[in-house]
Amino acid sequence: YLPDKMLGTKYYIKDENMSLKLTKLEEILREIFKNIKENPENISYVRKTIEHYLPMTIKLVNSYIELSNQSIQGENIKNAKKEIEESIDLINKAFETLLNDLFEEVAMDISTDISALKTLFTQDGLTEEEIKK
């Protein structure tokens, strides 16, 4: 299902695979918004996602729900649903990349800190190699 905040009410997606894709999308978006809340300086980096990609994604999901609720599933409906399902894979990958990019600076800071620690430990003779000498 999709959360209330995304569509205004809960809608059940009967297709288990699509439901899993949308659950993953929700988890990724929660992490992105959590990051923005904790790091407000990142808002400019995700502004395009929030203003353009997210509304388009919601529109696709709403279309999928509407198509799924049709009692007759003709070829056009089946093809459109399949296309939306495939686009959700693309959207999830793109949002995962965005989330990963939000942590790039953190990862670089951690690498720098670890490198500095190694250097300091070596200088002070606190590494295994220095202790054996």
Side-chain angles (χ1 to χ4, degrees):
Y1 73 92
L2 295 172
D4 293 347
K5 293 177 184 175
M6 193 170 208
L7 298 172
T9 186
K10 290 184 181 181
Y11 292 92
Y12 290 90
I13 304 289
K14 294 174 186 170
D15 182 278
E16 186 176 344
N17 189 39
M18 183 63 164
S19 183
L20 290 172
K21 290 178 186 191
L22 293 174
T23 298
K24 182 176 181 178
L25 174 61
E26 179 184 359
E27 290 169 358
I28 295 166
L29 289 171
R30 283 185 193 279
E31 288 301 315
I32 289 171
F33 286 115
K34 179 181 169 187
N35 181 281
I36 293 168
K37 186 176 181 181
E38 293 170 358
N39 306 286
E41 67 277 6
N42 286 343
I43 190 70
S44 61
Y45 188 72
V46 298
R47 187 172 309 282
K48 190 172 187 178
T49 298
I50 294 168
E51 292 177 357
H52 300 287
Y53 303 142
L54 191 54
M56 288 172 30
T57 300
I58 292 171
K59 182 179 176 184
L60 285 174
V61 172
N62 282 329
S63 295
Y64 184 89
I65 291 168
E66 183 180 332
L67 293 170
S68 293
N69 288 327
Q70 299 303 311
S71 57
I72 307 273
Q73 295 284 307
E75 215 44 47
N76 287 334
I77 290 175
K78 288 178 185 176
N79 289 337
K81 284 173 50 182
K82 185 175 192 275
E83 196 171 348
I84 293 170
E85 289 169 11
E86 291 170 357
S87 73
I88 296 298
D89 290 332
L90 175 69
I91 291 165
N92 280 345
K93 183 67 179 152
F95 286 172
E96 278 181 346
T97 300
L98 174 66
L99 179 60
N100 188 54
D101 289 350
L102 291 173
F103 288 96
E104 182 177 9
E105 189 174 313
V106 172
M108 286 191 324
D109 288 347
I110 289 170
S111 292
T112 301
D113 289 346
I114 291 171
S115 180
L117 273 174
K118 286 180 181 177
T119 300
L120 291 171
F121 287 154
T122 300
Q123 289 173 351
D124 291 339
L126 298 174
T127 61
E128 222 174 284
E129 294 82 27
E130 294 297 320
I131 294 172
K132 289 179 183 177
K133 291 180 183 179

